[in-house]
């Protein structure tokens, strides 16, 4: 090495120190003195391939309302909603920043493609609780510190199977599993459990198509197996494409088609109607947001006031925030991350009108507190509620 | 590795800063700096594969995924193992995958190789999506063994690995093998002519790149606990590539800057309230700007500027002095020359020509470029090969050095047939060449170029070559030299390898008249000083007259005549052929 | 099996058209465009966004094609303007930059909300020897062959084609001869943008892909192009169709079905080892 190399290295070191000092200063200037707000965080995918801005948006709407009503025992809630851009590195960075710099006491209303797996270990190390608004990955349902308020794909899928066999009374139910990111095995386990519990047998289980590929092979296989109901796991765009292929194969009216809650949206309905494939069933993980149930009034007002879109997903953010507010109100003494975690650990089941079963937390090593769905069906005038709560045992 | 006093000072300062930061910063910043180190390892692996070996890699994060997978699996299978060892094993098991891809694609280069790497990235992404990373399904995270579960120890581990890997790669980059990467990047043809194993260089670059990335992946497993494919998508590989291009990650500072950018640009965007997707946009636009300007990434450019300043007052050209006392020259060369003299005498008694080409025919499609050409170059002679443009001179050089896929006829070196050998083997046997278009590798120094060209065998000859051709100081980067000097350096490199025959393709192109004449004098001395024959292609008849003893003339792919210089050059047929219509009219 | 092969041909046609675009762009402009499919995705998504906004399908398609062409042409201009001189490798890194920018913009503009992706081809199908063949498969094949045929005729027999070919070999010389190579480059880029959009409009109704998955359809297309060494349009077309067919057939084979997305990579490795079994050196001198 020659001297100019050395200077390069020294320059980098100096730049590092300077950068840290500058940004560090900005970080240090948070003033904790004034109103002593209770700090809550969220890490969500707000930019990137599948953005969910309305979930933390709904949580913010709840906190705005609570703050307007005087806060928690006079203390306002300060909500830090961070973006992870669907990048695990950013998710990890954001959560650590919220805990170490912003000193949040809990996470609420997160909805991210990557956040749970990136941060589950970190939450466990710091023993901090995250009540996710929308748990997307399997890791969201496998941590002692994360409790999503939504069903998740696995439990949602289960509710569809139970509905098809128990309520609709079909004998030949065919699960179609569109493969994505290591979820096939949990689905297969779930199907086994469903077969045991209900005494039914899946007429055909199809795992040949990858989510996002042409679904025709799976649909044709279901036809050949003589299925009466096909339960498939699709995200929003795939649900639309899947139904289009169903129609092309002339099978729309020959069997019932059921899919996950992602399809339960205004835009999917429009697309289904456009391509003439109404009749699709989907599960709603909360009280169906398009129904006129009076229980929805509070949610609707809060979100409309805050300018957050009224979607099924946004209910997750809303419900998780409401639960947290209840828990915060119940805490006597200091509100710290320890006391919040402790409060959740010793929590009595909490009823929420938007959920089909009470929210629990407790000491378990994994949480999936919401295993109830209502079924909706795409009819001429929009999604119609067609069932009461379907509970997955 | 020679460490000068200032380097030790700089390195020590850097370490001191790191240790201080690791001890005093809040854990969040320690975490961020750990991420910087991990990203820098990935950036450095891209620097190696893309900047040094010239292969666009779009799959570095896929290698990281393999390392991460291995560490996740090992952590469950072998929970008592120390974490650093798992990380190293993760890297070691990833390296063979890189090696395999490298071997399978030996004959693929440039943008085509980029397509292969992208294909690998998407295929692996898909395969990984079918199952999950070990432990994710059961929610069993990778927890680094104590003390590395503490962020500060993890920080120490990440930086220690980065520094160890950097020291290793910097040392290797200065070895003959490592210099081969740079040679392959500039031109595979020229690299083979220097005796570099082209496939081997590319494979080893891939394998080491995979090793680095695998280690980074293992560290990521420890950092996140649970890995998903989202960490390692092809898109992430692309973002890392453009960041490496932007920063110039072939240098340690560039790799660290890449890490700083990837971590602190989003951090900055957060603090000023801009959306995060602006980060990728900024990095991509920055990389485009670097590409537009040319001349490497930010730190590489800085390094270049510092280099230029350092050599401002140093001679960076070959100053061939026109007049020289030949006896003095011969005296200076006496020991070497005398030693070689004995060998030559032996050859002469055997009466075998140095290079013998017998009825060589080369056809491109229907067009015969060379037809039944015979050529004999004796030991100890400078033999000129002349002829008008398109006569097939360079094709003949290609055929003799083994660069043509197919040709008929026989080529023997010192009586041994060599048709079945490839260019690299022929170079090793002692056939060396230079190119019309200068291929001297501008990213390295004079000393390293000579080391690469000479190989293991010729190191002791380097001083003699330097003396003869008036090369600048060994530390001078080749990119500071002018074209003519680089041309002379190429000849010097070829000579340093102790060749039996040296094929010079238009060595005087781009030289001034005085320089050209001086070079001709040096070429004439080559057989006597180095005991090596020379086949010289040159248009400048003055050069030919000074340098060579015999001449062969090619015209339209056929042998026109051959003989002593003075006879042949005055032959009317040669004049006619050479000057073409000019003489005819 | 045959069912699978036939159903794979729609995807195959898309790969083939994209591969033709990649090959033509590489031959004429010397750029290997990693953003080729992303340009098509942009056009297709503009089209479907307009359909969602109640614009008629014909007008929406027109706008989609126009947006893609203009974006592609502009990208071509930027690359020719600033990266005209450097090597093919540098220019290709430039297209990686283009891909990243297009993906970021695509995520921004279109998110992941579902869109009706109406087919340009009326839905019909007929039986052919016991295999159900949909009209869209037939149309897709015809479009592919028509595009490849027209382009290869254009390249071989017209003045423009010869000029274009010359341009890729000696851009500077051609410029000195008075041909505006930058203008031609922009034209070629714009044309490939248009054709890529067409390819996406063919595949989108059956797959309803996201912007991201559409953009990465460039991988099988690049593989197909590579099999034809980025110079032979017809080999690229055949390879594209073959990759689609093999993927379709693979879907019906137990054990392989889950991994058939990796098929293009397997094909390319095997093919390259075979095609390059003899040593060939890089550009002479």
């Amino acid at each position: 090495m020659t001297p100019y190399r050395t200077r390069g290295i020294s320059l980098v070191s100096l730049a590092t120190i300077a950068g840290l000092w500058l940004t560090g200063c900005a970080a240090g200037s948070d003033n904790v003195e004034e109103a002593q707000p209770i700090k809550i965080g969220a890490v969500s995918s707000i930019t990137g391939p599948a953005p969910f801005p309305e979930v933390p948006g709904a949580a913010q709407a709840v906190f705005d309302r609570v703050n307007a009503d005087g806060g928690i025992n006079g203390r306002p809630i300060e909500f830090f909603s961070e973006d992870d851009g669907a990048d695990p590195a950013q998710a990890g960075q954001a959560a650590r920043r919220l805990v170490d710099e912003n000193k949040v006491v809990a996470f609420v209303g997160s909805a991210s493609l990557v956040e749970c797996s990136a941060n589950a270990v970190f939450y466990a190390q710091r023993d901090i609780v995250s009540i996710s608004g929308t748990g997307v990955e399997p890791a969201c349902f496998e941590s002692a510190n994360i409790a999503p308020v939504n069903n998740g794909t696995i439990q949602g899928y289960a509710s569809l199977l139970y509905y098809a066999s128990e309520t609709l009374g079909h004998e030949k139910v065919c699960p179609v599993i569109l493969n994505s990111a290591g979820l096939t095995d949990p689905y297969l386990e779930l199907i086994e459990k469903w077969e045991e519990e209900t005494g039914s047998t899946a007429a055909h289980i199809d795992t040949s198509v990858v989510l996002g590929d042409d679904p025709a092979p799976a649909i044709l296989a279901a036809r050949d197996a003589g299925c009466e109901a096909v339960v498939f796991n699709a995200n929003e765009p795939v649900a639309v494409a899947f139904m289009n292929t169903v129609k092309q194969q002339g099978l729309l009216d020959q069997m019932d088609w059921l899919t996950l809650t992602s399809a339960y949206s205004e835009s999917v309905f429009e697309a289904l109607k456009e391509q003439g494939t109404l009749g699709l069933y989907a599960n709603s993980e909360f009280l169906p947001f398009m129904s006129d149930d009076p229980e929805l009034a509070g949610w609707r007002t809060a979100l409309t006031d805050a300018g957050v879109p009224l979607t099924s997903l946004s209910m997750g953010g809303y419900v998780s925030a409401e639960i947290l507010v209840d828990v915060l109100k119940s805490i006597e003494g200091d509100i710290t991350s320890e006391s919040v975690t402790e409060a959740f650990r010793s929590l009595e089941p909490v009823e929420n009108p938007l959920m089909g079963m009470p929210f629990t937390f407790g000491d378990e090593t994994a949480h999936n507190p919401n295993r109830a769905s209502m079924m909706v069906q795409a009819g001429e005038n929009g999604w119609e509620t067609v069932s009461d709560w379907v509970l997955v045992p | 590795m020679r460490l000068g006093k200032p380097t030790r000072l700089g390195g020590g300062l850097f370490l001191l800063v790191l240790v201080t930061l690791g001890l005093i910063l809040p854990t969040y910043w320690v975490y961020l700096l750990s991420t910087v180190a991990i990203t820098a390892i990935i950036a450095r692996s891209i620097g190696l594969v893309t900047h040094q070996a010239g292969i666009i890699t779009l799959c570095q994060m896929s290698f990281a995924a393999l390392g991460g997978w291995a560490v996740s699996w090992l952590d469950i299978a072998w929970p008592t193992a120390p974490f650093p060892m798992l990380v190293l094993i993760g890297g070691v098991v990833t390296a063979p995958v890189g090696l395999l891809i490298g071997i399978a694609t030996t004959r693929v280069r440039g943008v085509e190789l980029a397509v292969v790497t992208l294909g690998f990235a998407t295929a692996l992404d898909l395969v990984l999506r079918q199952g999950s990373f070990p432990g994710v399904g059961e929610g069993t995270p990778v927890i680094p063994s104590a003390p590395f579960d503490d962020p500060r120890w993890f920080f120490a581990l990440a930086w220690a690995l980065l520094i160890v890997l950097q020291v290793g790669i910097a040392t290797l980059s200065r070895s003959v093998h490592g210099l081969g990467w740079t040679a392959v990047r500039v031109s595979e043809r020229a690299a083979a002519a220097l005796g570099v194993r082209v496939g081997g260089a590319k494979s080893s670059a891939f394998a080491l790149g995979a090793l680095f990335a695998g280690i980074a992946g293992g560290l990521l497993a420890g950092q996140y606990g649970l890995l998903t494919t989202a960490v390692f998508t092809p898109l992430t590989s692309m973002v890392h590539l453009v960041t490496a291009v932007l920063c110039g990650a072939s240098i340690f500072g560039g790799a660290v800057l890449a890490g700083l950018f990837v971590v602190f640009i989003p951090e900055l965007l957060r603090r000023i309230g801009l959306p995060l997707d602006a980060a990728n946009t900024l990095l991509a636009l920055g990389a485009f700007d670097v590409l537009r300007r040319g001349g490497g990434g930010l730190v590489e450019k800085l390094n270049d500027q510092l280099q230029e300043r350092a050599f401002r007052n140093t001679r960076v050209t070959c100053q061939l002095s026109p007049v020289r006392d030949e006896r003095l020259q011969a005296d200076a060369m006496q020991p070497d020359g005398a030693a070689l003299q004995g060998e030559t005498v032996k050859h002469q008694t055997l009466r075998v020509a140095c290079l013998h080409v017998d009825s060589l025919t080369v056809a491109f499609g229907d067009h015969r470029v060379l037809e039944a050409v015979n050529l004999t170059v004796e030991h100890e002679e400078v033999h000129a090969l002349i002829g008008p443009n398109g006569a097939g001179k360079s094709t003949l050089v290609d055929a003799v050095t083994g660069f043509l896929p197919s040709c008929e006829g026989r080529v023997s070196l010192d009586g041994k047939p060599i048709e079945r050998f490839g260019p690299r083997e022929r170079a090793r046997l002692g056939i060396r060449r230079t190119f019309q278009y200068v291929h001297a590798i501008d990213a390295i120094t004079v000393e390293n170029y000579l080391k690469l060209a000479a190989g293991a065998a010729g190191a002791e000859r380097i001083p003699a070559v330097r003396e003869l051709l008036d090369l600048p100081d060994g530390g001078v980067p080749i990119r500071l030299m002018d074209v003519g000097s680089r041309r002379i350096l190429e000849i010097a490199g070829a000579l340093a390898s102790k060749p039996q025959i040296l094929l010079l393709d238009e060595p005087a192109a781009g030289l001034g008249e005085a320089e050209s004449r001086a070079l001709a004098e040096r070429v004439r001395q080559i057989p006597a000083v180095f005991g090596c024959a020379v086949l010289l292609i040159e248009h400048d008849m003055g050069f030919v007259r000074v340098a060579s003893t015999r001449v062969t003339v090619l015209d339209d792919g056929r042998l026109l005549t051959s003989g002593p210089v003075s006879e042949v050059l005055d032959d009317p047929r040669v004049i006619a052929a050479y000057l073409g219509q000019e003489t005819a009219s | 099996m045959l069912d699978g092969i036939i159903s794979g041909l729609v995807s195959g046609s898309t790969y083939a058209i994209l591969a033709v675009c990649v090959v033509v762009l590489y031959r004429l402009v010397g750029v290997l465009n990693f953003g080729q499919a992303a340009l098509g995705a942009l056009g297709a998504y503009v089209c479907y966004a307009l359909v969602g906004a109640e614009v008629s399908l014909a007008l929406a398609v027109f706008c989609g094609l126009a947006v893609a062409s203009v974006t592609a042409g502009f990208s071509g201009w930027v690359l020719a303007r600033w990266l005209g001189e450097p090597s093919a490798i540098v220019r290709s890194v430039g297209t990686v930059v283009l891909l990243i920018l297009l993906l970021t913009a695509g995520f921004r503009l279109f998110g992941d909300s579902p869109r009706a992706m109406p087919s340009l081809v009326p839905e019909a199908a007929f039986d052919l020897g016991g295999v159900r063949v949909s009209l869209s498969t037939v149309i897709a094949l015809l479009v592919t062959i028509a595009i490849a045929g027209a382009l290869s005729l254009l390249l071989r027999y017209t003045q423009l084609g010869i000029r274009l070919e010359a341009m890729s070999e000696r851009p500077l010389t051609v410029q000195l001869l008075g041909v505006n190579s930058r203008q031609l480059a922009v034209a070629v880029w714009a044309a490939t943008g248009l054709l890529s959009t067409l390819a996406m409009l063919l595949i989108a109704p059956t797959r309803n892909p996201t912007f991201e998955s559409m953009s990465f359809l460039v991988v099988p297309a690049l593989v197909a192009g590579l099999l034809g060494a980025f110079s032979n349009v017809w080999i690229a077309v055949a390879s594209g169709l073959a990759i689609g067919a093999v993927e379709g057939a693979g879907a019906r084979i137990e054990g392989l079905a889950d991994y058939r997305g990796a098929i293009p990579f397997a094909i390319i490795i095997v093919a390259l080892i075979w095609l390059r079994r003899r040593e060939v050196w890089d550009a002479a001198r």
Side-chain angles (χ1 to χ4, degrees), chain B residues 38-353:
Chain B
I38 298 174
T39 317
I41 295 177
I42 291 169
R44 188 63 188 85
S45 83
I46 297 175
L48 166 64
V49 179
T50 300
H51 293 66
Q52 284 179 258
I55 302 162
I56 302 180
T57 166
L58 298 172
C59 66
Q60 242 27 45
M61 288 310 279
S62 311
F63 290 137
L66 291 174
W69 205 97
V71 169
S72 306
W73 187 84
L74 283 167
D75 190 62
I76 293 169
W78 189 14
T80 53
F83 182 67
M85 189 160 82
L86 295 187
V87 171
L88 288 178
I89 296 176
V92 170
V93 299
T94 310
V97 180
L99 189 67
L100 272 181
I101 293 181
I103 291 172
T105 55
T106 302
R107 304 274 161 80
V108 187
R109 60 181 67 91
V111 289
E112 298 189 336
L113 205 42
V115 173
V116 174
T117 60
L118 179 61
F120 173 67
T122 43
L124 188 77
D125 187 50
L126 238 135
V127 170
L128 289 176
R129 273 171 203 273
Q130 291 309 315
S132 53
F133 279 81
V136 172
E138 305 81 46
T140 323
V142 176
I143 309 260
S145 60
F148 299 102
D149 52 347
D150 180 272
R152 289 181 205 278
W153 276 98
F154 191 88
F155 163 90
L157 174 66
W159 279 93
L161 280 171
L162 170 65
I163 290 168
V164 167
L165 291 174
Q166 165 62 26
V167 168
I169 202 67
T171 312
L172 198 55
S173 298
R174 282 188 298 271
S175 74
V176 171
H177 187 91
L179 292 167
W181 296 326
T182 322
V184 167
R185 187 197 66 201
V186 173
S187 158
E188 292 188 8
R189 202 174 261 265
L194 288 172
V196 172
R197 203 188 290 272
V198 172
K202 288 204 285 195
S203 307
S204 70
F206 256 123
L208 280 173
L211 174 84
F212 276 46
I215 287 175
L219 286 170
L220 284 175
Q223 203 181 23
Y224 292 138
L226 298 171
L227 290 177
T228 56
T229 50
V231 184
F232 308 107
T233 57
L235 182 60
T236 356
S237 288
M238 290 182 180
V239 172
H240 278 286
L241 173 73
V242 298
T243 314
V245 167
L246 166 63
C247 301
S250 64
I251 299 176
F252 180 67
V256 173
L257 186 67
L260 291 170
F261 274 5
V262 166
V263 173
F264 288 101
I265 288 182
E267 193 63 27
L268 206 69
L269 290 174
R270 276 205 178 109
R271 289 183 193 270
I272 57 178
L274 284 175
L276 273 193
D277 50 1
N280 285 356
T281 312
L282 280 175
L283 291 172
L285 290 176
F288 185 83
D289 190 54
V290 159
L291 292 176
R292 182 178 69 79
R293 290 164 194 269
L298 298 175
V299 176
E300 284 165 339
K301 228 175 240 164
L302 178 71
N303 198 45
D304 285 354
Q305 277 166 12
L306 293 171
Q307 243 177 11
E308 266 154 46
R309 195 174 301 169
F311 287 101
R312 204 171 26 195
N313 300 321
T314 317
R315 174 170 71 90
V316 295
T317 52
C318 302
Q319 282 170 346
L320 296 177
S321 41
V323 191
R324 236 184 144 142
D325 191 322
E326 278 182 41
R327 274 169 310 170
L328 258 179
Q329 176 71 17
D331 285 346
M333 295 295 148
Q334 200 61 47
D336 202 15
L340 292 155
Q341 209 71 38
E343 273 178 63
T344 331
V345 170
K346 187 184 75 197
H347 287 308
Q348 278 168 345
T349 51
L350 289 171
R351 293 187 167 227
V352 179

Side-chain angles (χ1 to χ4, degrees), chain A residues 1 4 6 9 13 17 20 23 27 82-83 88-90 92-94 96-97 100-101 114 117 121 137 142 181-182, chain B residues 6-7 10 14 27-29 31-32 129-130 136-137 141 224 226 228 230-231 263 266-267 270-271 276 303 306-307:
Chain A
M1 280 209 201
Y4 51 86
T6 317
I9 293 174
S13 334
I17 302 175
L20 288 173
T23 29
E82 293 279 7
D83 180 18
Q90 295 311 320
Q93 210 164 312
R96 282 161 175 86
R97 189 160 92 91
D100 287 341
E101 291 217 328
V114 296
S117 58
V121 176
E137 305 168 276
E142 286 160 357
Chain B
T7 309
F14 181 68
T27 48
Y28 174 61
W29 293 90
Y31 169 83
L32 291 187
R129 273 171 203 273
Q130 291 309 315
V136 172
Y224 292 138
L226 298 171
T228 56
V231 184
V263 173
E267 193 63 27
R270 276 205 178 109
R271 289 183 193 270
L276 273 193
N303 198 45
L306 293 171
Q307 243 177 11

Side-chain angles (χ1 to χ4, degrees), chain A residues 238-278:
Chain A
V238 171
V240 174
F242 193 96
M243 292 311 289
N244 194 28
T245 313
V246 167
K247 188 188 159 208
Q248 276 172 16
Q249 299 295 342
L251 298 172
L252 185 60
D253 299 324
Q254 295 186 13
M255 32 188 131
D256 280 330
W257 303 92
L258 301 91
T259 194
L260 294 174
T261 191
S262 346
Y264 179 39
S265 74
E266 192 76 51
S267 53
V268 170
F269 172 74
E270 294 294 336
L272 291 174
K273 192 171 179 185
E274 179 94 9
Q275 67 188 20
T277 53
L278 295 175

Side-chain angles (χ1 to χ4, degrees), chain B residues 454-475:
Chain B
E460 79 268 21
R461 192 181 268 189
I462 293 177
V465 173
R466 260 210 187 131
E467 173 81 10
L468 178 73
L469 293 170
D470 280 325
L471 298 184
D473 181 73

Side-chain angles (χ1 to χ4, degrees), chain C residues 3 6 49 84 140 172 174 183 219 268:
Chain C
D3 258 346
I6 298 293
L172 215 65
V174 176
Q183 228 167 50
V219 177
I268 196 66

